Amino acid sequence: MKRSREQAASELFAALYPRLAGWCRRLVDDDETAHEIASEAFTRLWSRWTSVAEPRGFLYVTAANLVRDHWRRLERERRAVHRAGTEAAVRPHTEPSDPSVRLLVQSLPERLRVPILLHYYADMPVREVSALTGRKEGTVKADLHAARELLRAHLRRSLDHTL
């Protein structure tokens, strides 16, 4: 039994790790961090191996949550550096909005962010996103639409500030 469990885990790792790590790489823009996140997702899967019905979905949802945590950590660090820089050199705060799509996706509420990450960044069809998130396909489609509208509005505002 243990041998077959280890064999199954090894085969799953070989089949899914490269794509999961590549997906994480596109989200965090750093190879080392991407591999850490993908490895951590597999570690968490391994600890719940017998209770996870859909390992691929578990991996992507776990990785999406780890990416979110990474983005939050970076944002806290960015704010701390900005505060330190502002205190060192007193100048008016005229920082333009960053129209980076990744930062905008990061700012979405979780119910909109996870479907965007799974559908557009992991290339999962709506049906699969629906199964992984436990939401009806129509709800996933509505969430994707709402997320695109929010992103579009944020991009417009960002572009208006740069003109």
Side-chain angles (χ1 to χ4, degrees):
M1 168 75 180
K2 185 175 181 180
R3 183 73 177 138
S4 64
R5 178 180 172 212
E6 288 176 4
Q7 183 64 30
S10 178
E11 290 171 4
L12 185 72
F13 183 85
L16 297 181
Y17 184 85
R19 187 167 181 211
L20 180 66
W23 178 66
C24 292
R25 170 68 174 88
R26 288 196 318 255
L27 295 173
V28 299
D29 202 28
D30 176 65
D31 286 336
E32 186 176 336
T33 303
H35 285 287
E36 286 174 9
I37 290 171
S39 296
E40 178 63 21
F42 269 96
T43 300
R44 291 182 185 190
L45 172 63
W46 182 250
S47 71
R48 294 169 182 81
W49 185 253
T50 57
S51 64
V52 174
E54 176 50 55
R56 181 173 182 257
F58 179 89
L59 288 168
Y60 276 89
V61 170
T62 300
N65 289 333
L66 292 168
V67 165
R68 178 201 62 221
D69 294 344
H70 171 75
W71 285 345
R72 285 181 178 164
R73 199 169 31 259
L74 288 179
E75 181 60 22
R76 284 192 303 269
E77 290 170 5
R78 186 194 67 74
R79 276 195 231 124
V81 167
H82 178 72
R83 271 194 308 272
T86 302
E87 291 167 5
V90 179
R91 63 180 185 270
H93 179 71
T94 58
E95 179 182 338
S97 300
D98 185 349
S100 164
V101 173
R102 185 175 55 193
L103 290 174
L104 294 176
V105 169
Q106 173 187 344
S107 73
L108 291 172
E110 185 170 354
R111 85 175 171 82
L112 300 178
R113 184 178 54 250
V114 170
I116 287 285
L117 291 174
L118 295 175
H119 184 67
Y120 291 108
Y121 288 85
D123 298 323
M124 292 184 185
V126 169
R127 179 182 64 256
E128 193 169 351
V129 174
S130 169
L132 294 177
T133 59
R135 298 184 201 149
K136 294 180 179 179
E137 284 186 39
T139 303
V140 170
K141 290 177 184 177
D143 288 346
L144 289 170
H145 175 75
R148 286 190 305 267
E149 289 301 313
L150 277 174
L151 293 171
R152 188 175 293 123
H154 284 299
L155 283 171
R156 273 195 202 109
R157 278 196 300 276
S158 295
L159 291 173
D160 287 347
H161 284 92
T162 60
L163 296 178

